[in-house]
Amino acid sequence: MEDKRPAWSSRYTFILSAVGSAVGLGNIWRFPYIMGQNGGAIFLLVYLGLILTICFVPLFAELAVGKITKKECVSAYESINPKFKFLGILNPITGILITSFYFVVGGWIINYILLSIENAKIANLEDYFANFTQNSLSVCIFTLLFLFICILFTARGVKKGIEFANKILMPIFALILIALTMFSLNLPNANLGLEYMFKPDFTKVNAQMFLSALGQALFTLSIGMGALLTYGSYIKDDKNIVKSTYVIIFSDTFFALFAGIMIFPSIFSFGLEPSSGAGLVFITIPQIFAQIPFGNIISAAFFILLFVAAITSGISIVEVPVASMIERWNISRVRACSILFIVISLLAIPAALSFGVLSNFKILDKTIFDLFDFLTANILMPLNALFLCLIAGWFLKIKGEQFIKNKFVSFLFDIGLKFVIPIILALLLYIGLK
Ligand code: PHE
């Protein structure tokens, strides 16, 4: 089995695909609205602090466990100790649950691309968003379409599918993002948006903000569901994963900042509210497009940007259960993808319907969509990251000195992996569950 495993063609395509996984809806949809809800610049400061200090360890550990074991998640955990098999299984399960709501948003994006191309004039975007998300049939169709596109790339394999998608889509993503940011910075009063982003108000610091920032950091870096472990397992032996970790963290942060610089100046320039929540890019931003010349073209570019970002992340999530099925059950990639298509559909459709016919169906006082979001981002991802650090530090005995030259940094890494990060993650889980 070992030699049949896929591998990246080069270090470049590995990093590109890992960055493609990290940069997604987390950066362009979730980051600006969470920042808008948490007071702007001060949130950014806390978030950057966490990304630069705490996130290095679990991200690096995921890549390292993948690279060292050269196995998909379940077998990787099992090979360290057969008792950990169950913890390994949590990774593809988390992935499947993430796709079940992430792909619904993917479906909404497809609808907004079509709307922009049609140049539809919508009088009240808030009502439109509410009505559209309630319209069960079209939301289901678009969600399944989004799922199908992700599965199609994954079914073609690591080189022909995953690498290919990232090689084409990531440059398109970067170009559209740069163009839209330039546009936004040239709007009147753009400086108000920049002030909101970069001038912190220290009176707004609170514990909840730290929690939101840490949850956002894990989600945006794809930590805690096996995507980076699986991608790491396709690395050939000679790759330097410390550098790769830095590149992934810096690129993701860079793209999140760019997304903020694209979004906040336009919001302030048009006198809109930055704290409108999850509807920010579906309600607030389209209000801007409605008021400017060639707004539909810019709107199409914006939603294509979101689409591309979501596809490259979606592919990485889907790859986790696919790799597990191929290696554990010894089935072909196409068969694994077909099974997964059915499984995700069965979960994503109820999630898509939770804005329409299933809006009153609640578990733990949450609609299915909210439940999947809460379960994954607030519980399963921190839990998986916690187990991963403990297993990597205490059982696989990964030591900083194996990879990091600087003695002090390597010492900090060891302490972080075995003690500090697990304690912080446990705390996050405790507060989140209270
Ligand atoms: N990091 C991705 C984003 O920012 C989401 C993701 C989570 C991808 C977990 C893979 C694994 O949108």
Side-chain angles (χ1 to χ4, degrees):
M1 196 71 214
E2 198 84 353
D3 47 0
K4 273 199 267 153
R5 290 198 95 245
W8 302 109
S9 344
S10 66
R11 176 184 163 79
Y12 167 72
T13 53
F14 156 63
I15 291 189
L16 193 68
S17 306
V19 171
S21 166
V23 178
L25 294 182
N27 303 58
I28 308 173
W29 166 64
R30 206 168 185 272
F31 174 71
Y33 94 70
I34 300 268
M35 183 163 151
Q37 285 176 332
N38 284 281
I42 185 66
F43 173 86
L44 181 64
L45 205 67
V46 172
Y47 169 84
L48 288 179
L50 293 177
I51 289 260
L52 295 177
T53 52
I54 290 178
C55 292
F56 178 87
V57 174
L59 202 163
F60 176 81
E62 264 208 55
L63 289 179
V65 172
K67 187 186 143 164
I68 292 170
T69 60
K70 292 260 175 296
K71 291 182 171 29
E72 52 71 45
C73 299
V74 185
S75 308
Y77 279 53
E78 196 184 33
S79 69
I80 298 169
N81 185 325
K83 285 196 200 116
F84 297 150
K85 180 174 150 191
F86 167 72
L87 300 179
I89 296 177
L90 277 182
N91 286 284
I93 292 182
T94 308
I96 292 173
L97 291 177
I98 295 178
T99 55
S100 307
F101 74 90
Y102 201 85
F103 289 7
V104 175
V105 182
W108 295 348
I109 295 171
I110 296 182
N111 177 71
Y112 274 73
I113 294 177
L114 298 178
L115 215 62
S116 315
I117 294 174
E118 279 168 25
N119 200 3
K121 296 273 177 274
I122 293 159
N124 186 331
L125 280 149
E126 208 164 340
D127 288 349
Y128 176 81
F129 182 69
N131 288 333
F132 161 70
T133 49
Q134 277 164 24
N135 178 351
S136 308
L137 186 66
S138 45
V139 173
C140 287
I141 292 174
F142 288 136
T143 302
L144 292 183
L145 181 62
F146 189 89
L147 165 64
F148 183 73
I149 298 171
C150 282
I151 291 271
L152 213 61
F153 280 117
T154 317
R156 286 174 55 85
V158 171
K159 288 202 176 94
K160 283 198 204 133
I162 302 178
E163 284 188 0
F164 174 76
N166 280 290
K167 270 199 273 191
I168 298 190
L169 298 177
M170 287 310 283
I172 297 180
F173 170 83
L175 283 179
I176 301 180
L177 185 61
I178 292 171
L180 288 176
T181 307
M182 293 300 196
F183 169 80
S184 179
L185 284 176
N186 281 311
L187 289 170
N189 293 326
N191 58 322
L192 292 179
L194 294 179
E195 255 173 46
Y196 180 78
M197 256 189 95
F198 295 113
K199 221 169 152 189
D201 173 356
F202 288 95
T203 58
K204 289 193 177 146
V205 181
N206 60 54
Q208 185 56 42
M209 192 178 72
F210 275 84
L211 212 63
S212 305
L214 191 53
Q216 171 61 19
L218 293 182
F219 187 83
T220 190
L221 290 173
S222 308
I223 296 172
M225 54 90 30
L228 294 169
L229 192 158
T230 311
Y231 275 14
S233 76
Y234 301 146
I235 305 177
K236 288 189 208 129
D237 281 332
D238 52 343
K239 305 287 165 13
N240 177 344
I241 50 175
V242 176
K243 260 200 210 140
S244 306
T245 307
Y246 281 127
V247 175
I248 297 169
I249 291 183
F250 280 111
S251 317
D252 187 78
T253 309
F254 176 81
F255 281 122
L257 285 176
F258 245 75
I261 298 176
M262 163 181 76
I263 285 176
F264 289 113
S266 357
I267 290 180
F268 279 86
S269 178
F270 285 87
L272 299 169
E273 266 301 304
S275 57
S276 62
L280 189 68
V281 307
F282 293 102
I283 301 168
T284 314
I285 301 286
Q287 282 177 15
I288 300 169
F289 299 142
Q291 296 176 47
I292 50 179
F294 304 110
N296 63 315
I297 297 176
I298 298 171
S299 170
F302 176 76
F303 285 107
I304 291 173
L305 175 82
L306 272 179
F307 175 78
V308 167
I311 287 281
T312 52
S313 299
I315 290 174
S316 76
I317 312 179
V318 165
E319 178 64 14
V320 177
V322 166
S324 295
M325 281 192 270
I326 296 175
E327 287 173 39
R328 304 284 306 184
W329 297 344
N330 216 349
I331 58 176
S332 72
R333 184 167 272 273
V334 171
R335 176 168 276 201
C337 286
S338 317
I339 296 174
L340 197 65
F341 182 84
I342 298 171
V343 174
I344 297 181
S345 305
L346 291 177
L347 291 166
I349 289 178
L353 295 180
S354 57
F355 294 85
V357 288
L358 291 182
S359 60
N360 289 325
F361 180 80
K362 300 215 165 130
I363 302 172
L364 298 175
D365 213 24
K366 290 185 164 49
T367 63
I368 299 174
F369 182 98
D370 291 339
L371 183 74
F372 288 165
D373 183 349
F374 171 79
L375 267 183
T376 51
N378 293 16
I379 300 177
L380 289 168
M381 291 176 82
L383 198 66
N384 291 334
L386 170 70
F387 289 140
L388 184 103
C389 288
L390 292 177
I391 290 175
W394 294 95
F395 296 90
L396 192 58
K397 299 203 171 15
I398 290 181
K399 283 249 184 294
E401 62 188 20
Q402 291 167 262
F403 312 92
I404 303 165
K405 283 202 198 95
N406 184 306
K407 283 229 165 71
F408 184 61
V409 179
S410 132
F411 169 74
L412 286 183
F413 175 83
D414 292 343
I415 307 255
L417 188 65
K418 284 183 157 176
F419 304 102
V420 182
I421 309 296
I423 291 174
I424 293 176
L425 290 169
L427 225 75
L428 171 76
L429 273 162
Y430 174 73
I431 304 174
L433 282 174
K434 257 204 324 189

